[in-house]
């Protein structure tokens, strides 16, 4: 499993992190490129033109890259690194995660609310359980994440989940299988790394109680 929450595939292109020196699939890395003013620009969508510079989706790796001038070394020229780069990247990845979750909701591939989520879990519709990091632990243990890879996401707050569903707060959400699910999980895994948390796939260890027995 990669940092980006995707099963490693031999056909998945790999890039080397300038901070760790490790090569891994692009799904677990943050891409940067050089702007016209010589400033390093985070490219969280991976679509900006120019040669890419890659750093693991990990706060410590980003801070190391910025502190030790590793971006300049990779670019082979002096570059400007924005202050608070790790915070900036976290904000951008958070926005991307919320956007992907909102898209899944609009496509009918995501639901929120305890009863709806429970129903999806019981019926086997849910492939991933999402629970707010700041939600009640007692309440969260009443739902059990699906087994298998990427069954649980726990790096988003209730307010952040709520934004994706047009609500002030949401504690529980679920994703159905499909392309949008993998994109949400991938971005959430990056966000977890940037927040110094476990990846998006911890198997739902915080949700001990089986849904059918709730």
């Amino acid at each position: 499993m990669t940092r980006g929450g995707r099963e490693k595939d031999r056909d998945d292109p790999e890039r080397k992190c300038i901070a760790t020196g490790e090569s891994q699939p692009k799904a677990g890395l943050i891409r940067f490129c050089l702007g016209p003013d010589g400033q390093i620009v985070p490219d969280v969508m991976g679509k900006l033109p120019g040669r890419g510079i890659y750093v693991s989706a990990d706060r410590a790796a980003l801070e190391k890259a910025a502190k030790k001038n590793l971006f300049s070394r990779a670019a082979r020229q002096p570059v400007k690194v924005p202050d608070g780069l790790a915070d900036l990247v976290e904000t951008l990845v958070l926005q991307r995660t919320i956007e992907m979750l909102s898209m899944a909701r609009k496509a009918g591939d995501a639901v929120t609310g305890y009863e709806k989520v429970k129903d999806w879990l019981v019926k086997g519709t849910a492939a991933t359980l999402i629970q707010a990091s700041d939600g009640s632990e007692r309440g969260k243990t009443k739902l059990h994440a699906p087994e298998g890879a990427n069954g649980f996401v726990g790096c988003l707050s209730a307010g952040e989940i709520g934004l994706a569903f047009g609500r002030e707060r949401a504690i529980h959400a679920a994703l159905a299988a499909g392309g949008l699910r993998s994109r949400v999980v991938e971005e959430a895994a990056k966000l977890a790394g940037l927040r110094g948390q476990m990846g998006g796939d911890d198997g739902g260890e915080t949700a001990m109680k089986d849904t059918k027995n709730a």
Side-chain angles (χ1 to χ4, degrees):
M1 184 66 61
T2 70
R3 285 178 184 269
R6 177 185 292 173
E7 295 287 350
K8 187 172 181 179
D9 189 317
R10 65 182 59 187
D11 296 326
D12 209 7
E14 293 194 348
R15 296 292 185 271
K16 180 181 287 188
C17 169
I18 64 171
T20 67
E22 297 177 356
S23 293
Q24 63 173 302
K26 290 167 65 175
L29 298 161
I30 304 296
R31 184 181 188 268
F32 296 85
C33 60
L34 196 59
D37 58 352
Q39 179 159 293
I40 287 295
V41 179
D43 179 22
V44 297
M45 295 182 68
K47 294 184 177 180
L48 294 179
R51 176 175 173 269
I53 298 172
Y54 294 85
V55 181
S56 296
D58 178 86
R59 177 169 286 270
L62 280 172
E63 291 177 345
K64 177 182 178 181
K67 183 177 180 180
K68 297 195 172 183
N69 298 317
L70 300 183
F71 286 106
S72 294
R73 185 182 302 174
R76 299 178 182 176
Q77 68 180 77
V79 302
K80 303 173 186 175
V81 178
D83 292 335
L85 180 64
D87 290 336
L88 171 60
V89 173
E90 180 184 330
T91 297
L92 293 174
V93 173
L94 170 61
Q95 292 174 348
R96 183 70 173 159
T97 305
I98 292 172
E99 287 171 4
M100 290 296 98
L101 184 54
S102 178
M103 287 177 61
R105 172 184 64 83
K106 292 174 183 177
D109 294 333
V111 294
T112 190
Y114 178 83
E115 293 299 333
K116 289 182 180 179
V117 171
K118 180 181 177 181
D119 183 59
W120 270 29
L121 289 167
V122 170
K123 292 179 178 178
T125 304
T128 299
L129 172 64
I130 301 173
Q131 293 188 309
S133 57
D134 54 347
S136 163
E137 291 303 319
R138 181 179 180 182
K140 290 192 292 183
T141 56
K142 293 181 179 180
L143 297 176
H144 184 62
E147 295 182 359
N150 304 323
F152 182 74
V153 169
C155 62
L156 295 165
S157 71
E160 291 162 354
I161 298 172
L163 284 174
F165 288 92
R167 299 185 177 189
E168 185 174 347
R169 288 171 57 85
I171 304 299
H172 312 282
L175 291 165
L180 286 171
R181 175 222 179 195
S182 64
R183 293 170 71 183
V184 173
V185 169
E186 184 176 302
E187 296 302 326
K190 292 179 182 178
L191 181 63
L194 294 166
R195 290 180 165 180
Q197 301 171 359
M198 292 180 65
D201 172 30
D202 70 356
E205 293 177 1
T206 59
M208 299 293 186
K209 194 171 182 180
D210 194 291
T211 305
K212 296 179 181 179
N213 297 324

